Amino acid sequence: METLCQPRNVIYLMYRLRCRQGWFVKETGGGAGVLNRYFSGQSYRTTQLGTRTNHTSWCVRNKTHEWRTPVSAAVRLMHAVRQGETVMNVFDRKTKRKQKNWTASRPDHEDFDYLRDEVAYRIADRVCDVSRKFPVALDLGCGKGYISKYLNKDIVETLYQCDTAEKMLEHYYFLQATNRPSEVPTLTFQADEEFLPCKDNSLDLVVSCLSLHWVNDLPGCLRQVWSALKPDGCFIGVMFGGDTLFELRCSLQLAETEREGGFAPHVSPFTDVRDLGNLLTRAGYTMLTMDTDDLTVNFPSMYELMADLQGMGESNASWARKAILHRDTMMAAAAVYKDMYGNEDGTVPATFQLLYMIGWKPHKSQPKPAKRGSATASFGDLSSAPPPSGQDKPTS
């Protein structure tokens, strides 16, 4: 089975190479001016994973073809080179892709889908709460298609799915060919969340389930989603919050400090709910809805928790991770974990904080706040207002 080439990564590497060669030293206007001159006529070849359908989409096709990158798309893909923006390179995206592919290659990979299945159901429930039918939707970081099995044709007409790990997508095709087909017509392709290969104003809905917490440039990713949405389009996503696995983090820090005289980050950093709201506002979303939820899973010990995290593909992929965790440190961490957070029945809890976000791309039909100073009444006058007819005025 052929894998999808990634022209956005080719563009990025070629741009970096040309920067080192001094091509763009005198260019003015930021990243847009650079890309407008260089990428306006470049072509790259790409193929779609699998040959299940002959449907032609706006971003990928079945057969090998010439894929010409629009200037607007190239500018958006290279958002990191705009003036005044910097990207914190925290996560090793190549390692994370290998981890997800290794997870999907395990014979018991379905045993570790319980968390994503539960969260995907909650995301689909939020999509159903929107009283609208979405003609074109995208599942960003779809994995094995967790959300697609909870959607129907009354909600989404066509669903596109993308993920960085090709093994995850192969499992989706296998499930479609067996006893669990999706009701919604679906097209799947390989893509990176940091470089979204979608045209501007082409999507009515974008959903994301537990994939954005591994993105280095989260503001840029949210901005790309905003650009790909049509006016009045909706983005619904969920990612892990800052209190996720705080029990494991504290136990490992205490044990490693006591045994080795210092500690390294063994749990990846997560986003806080207040920061996430600011990022969505900065990206241009309106009518934001933010809520949090804590999902607690009990394990026999810390070792089973770490084994399940590895089976989920959620192992640490930060550049600052420590390569080796000594056995005595792990034993001490397991003892600290059970002593500080253990349940009465001998199990240990693991908390997953979920940050749900809903944002809309601006449109003239959306409700807007009244103009400042246009009020005709004051809250101070409410106390002196007459009571409704048939009711006595309350006495002090």
Side-chain angles (χ1 to χ4, degrees):
M1 182 175 292
E2 293 180 307
T3 57
L4 175 71
C5 300
Q6 298 182 345
R8 56 205 168 277
N9 291 344
V10 176
I11 292 175
Y12 179 72
L13 293 175
M14 294 180 67
Y15 174 78
R16 294 290 298 273
L17 178 63
R18 296 297 183 260
C19 285
R20 296 191 189 101
Q21 295 176 352
W23 279 38
F24 308 132
V25 174
K26 297 181 181 180
E27 188 72 36
T28 59
V34 172
L35 295 166
N36 201 7
R37 178 166 65 88
Y38 181 64
F39 293 119
S40 58
Q42 301 297 321
S43 298
Y44 304 93
R45 302 187 69 84
T46 181
T47 56
Q48 181 194 351
L49 256 174
T51 56
R52 289 186 50 81
T53 176
N54 293 324
H55 175 70
T56 301
S57 75
W58 35 262
C59 52
V60 292
R61 297 175 183 171
N62 270 19
K63 299 180 181 179
T64 304
H65 66 284
E66 290 291 330
W67 189 83
R68 188 171 297 275
T69 307
V71 178
S72 59
V75 172
R76 187 176 70 254
L77 297 181
M78 292 300 302
H79 56 85
V81 300
R82 293 175 181 170
Q83 289 183 341
E85 291 192 10
T86 57
V87 179
M88 297 296 294
N89 192 12
V90 180
F91 304 113
D92 185 354
R93 298 284 296 172
K94 185 177 180 180
T95 297
K96 177 49 59 180
R97 177 171 169 266
K98 290 181 178 179
Q99 291 175 354
K100 296 174 70 174
N101 282 328
W102 177 85
T103 296
S105 301
R106 296 182 55 163
D108 58 344
H109 61 90
E110 291 187 351
D111 296 340
F112 307 101
D113 291 341
Y114 56 90
L115 182 62
R116 279 192 166 84
D117 279 334
E118 174 63 25
V119 179
Y121 173 79
R122 300 184 182 189
I123 284 290
D125 184 62
R126 283 167 167 77
V127 176
C128 296
D129 289 338
V130 181
S131 58
R132 178 185 301 183
K133 187 174 183 178
F134 300 98
V136 182
L138 172 68
D139 185 359
L140 185 61
C142 64
K144 303 172 189 175
Y146 300 102
I147 299 180
S148 62
K149 56 187 176 183
Y150 298 114
L151 300 177
N152 55 59
K153 295 181 180 179
D154 296 332
I155 303 173
V156 176
E157 294 182 2
T158 304
L159 177 65
Y160 292 88
Q161 297 183 133
C162 65
D163 197 273
T164 58
E166 62 274 10
K167 295 293 184 181
M168 291 284 187
L169 303 180
E170 291 177 7
H171 278 295
Y172 172 77
Y173 283 119
F174 174 77
L175 295 177
Q176 289 292 298
T178 55
N179 58 348
R180 282 178 286 181
S182 175
E183 182 180 342
V184 181
T186 305
L187 182 66
T188 303
F189 61 97
Q190 186 181 5
D192 194 335
E193 295 92 344
E194 295 188 352
F195 305 99
L196 191 61
C198 300
K199 293 182 180 179
D200 294 340
N201 304 319
S202 58
L203 301 172
D204 300 281
L205 171 68
V206 176
V207 294
S208 179
C209 179
L210 299 182
S211 66
L212 296 182
H213 58 283
W214 292 114
V215 173
N216 283 311
D217 186 13
L218 185 57
C221 178
L222 295 175
R223 184 65 184 183
Q224 291 181 67
V225 172
W226 184 91
S227 299
L229 285 172
K230 296 178 182 178
D232 204 28
C234 182
F235 169 63
I236 303 177
V238 60
M239 60 187 300
F240 289 125
D243 291 338
T244 298
L245 298 177
F246 71 90
E247 305 98 339
L248 179 62
R249 183 188 295 111
C250 294
S251 300
L252 288 173
Q253 289 179 357
L254 291 174
E256 198 167 14
T257 301
E258 188 265 333
R259 295 301 174 95
E260 303 180 25
F263 64 88
H266 295 284
V267 179
S268 299
F270 298 107
T271 307
D272 189 75
V273 62
R274 292 166 294 186
D275 298 331
L276 188 58
N278 294 333
L279 292 177
L280 290 170
T281 302
R282 170 188 170 187
Y285 295 91
T286 59
M287 299 191 299
L288 300 181
T289 303
M290 305 289 301
D291 62 293
T292 64
D293 191 11
D294 290 337
L295 188 61
T296 303
V297 183
N298 294 320
F299 294 89
S301 68
M302 185 192 75
Y303 302 110
E304 284 77 11
L305 166 60
M306 298 178 71
D308 276 25
L309 291 176
Q310 188 181 42
M312 296 176 190
E314 292 297 330
S315 300
N316 192 1
S318 62
W319 288 105
R321 66 187 184 275
K322 189 177 180 180
I324 299 176
L325 185 61
H326 298 285
R327 180 180 299 179
D328 57 342
T329 302
M330 290 186 62
M331 295 178 63
V336 172
Y337 201 131
K338 190 171 184 179
D339 183 66
M340 293 181 62
Y341 306 103
N343 300 318
E344 294 181 357
D345 58 356
T347 60
V348 294
T351 302
F352 298 90
Q353 185 186 32
L354 305 175
L355 306 182
Y356 297 93
M357 49 191 153
I358 301 177
W360 297 78
K361 190 169 183 178
H363 189 261
K364 60 182 180 181
S365 63
Q366 296 175 354
K368 297 177 177 60
K371 185 178 179 181
R372 189 178 183 89
S374 61
T376 58
S378 174
F379 281 104
D381 300 334
L382 296 178
S383 58
S384 59
S389 60
Q391 295 185 8
D392 297 332
K393 186 176 182 180
T395 57
S396 56

